[in-house]
Amino acid sequence: DVVYRAGGLAVMNLLVVPGVLGVDVRPATLGSALERVGGLAGTVLDSSPARAGDTLFVISLSGRNELPVEMAMNARALGLKVVGLTSVAYAESTRSRHSTGTFLRDHCDVVLDSHIGVGDAELEVPGIEARFAPSST
């Protein structure tokens, strides 16, 4: 929602990892599985126009999967500034899936806390036990 939208940041270059958005692959759950595969971040960064001194925004609700952690780590190694948009509460209530045991928030120059709760559902209605409706895309 931050790229190619009215009011968005026009000078951004979207770095797309094929399949991760879940809308261009079947089954849609494949996108979540791809976030856990190592090596994708390096390939995406190496083929991108990103250069030392640029800023990379990495967005991940939990920040615990291989891809966002690796993306932030690799970007910093290349001299990029990393801004992570993630839920600190989510990270604090779960375990990292990255081999280092770290989270996206651990590899950012700036962390923007989304304050989204665990499970990515925020709406509550009296009489319905579970929260529903995603708060992120």
Side-chain angles (χ1 to χ4, degrees), residues 6 17-19 24 28 36 40-41 44-45 59 67 78 83 88 104 113 119 124 126-127 137:
V17 179
D24 59 341
R36 299 175 190 175
L40 291 177
V44 170
L45 282 172
I59 303 170
L67 182 64
L78 293 172
V83 176
V88 173
L104 168 61
D113 187 357
E124 295 179 275
T137 56

Side-chain angles (χ1 to χ4, degrees), residues 9-44:
L9 299 172
V11 296
M12 291 187 105
N13 291 310
L14 179 62
L15 301 184
V16 178
V17 179
V20 172
L21 293 179
V23 296
D24 59 341
V25 294
R26 295 285 183 258
T29 54
L30 180 58
S32 292
L34 288 171
E35 267 195 285
R36 299 175 190 175
V37 175
L40 291 177
T43 302
V44 170

Side-chain angles (χ1 to χ4, degrees), residues 81-85 105 107-112:
K81 298 296 181 195
V82 177
V83 176
L85 175 59
R105 67 179 185 182
H107 303 284
C108 296
D109 296 292
V110 175
V111 174
L112 303 175

Side-chain angles (χ1 to χ4, degrees), residues 60-83:
S60 173
L61 175 62
S62 69
R64 72 184 188 147
N65 286 323
E66 183 79 25
L67 182 64
V69 175
E70 183 181 283
M71 187 69 75
M73 291 172 73
N74 288 0
R76 288 180 90 188
L78 293 172
L80 281 73
K81 298 296 181 195
V82 177
V83 176

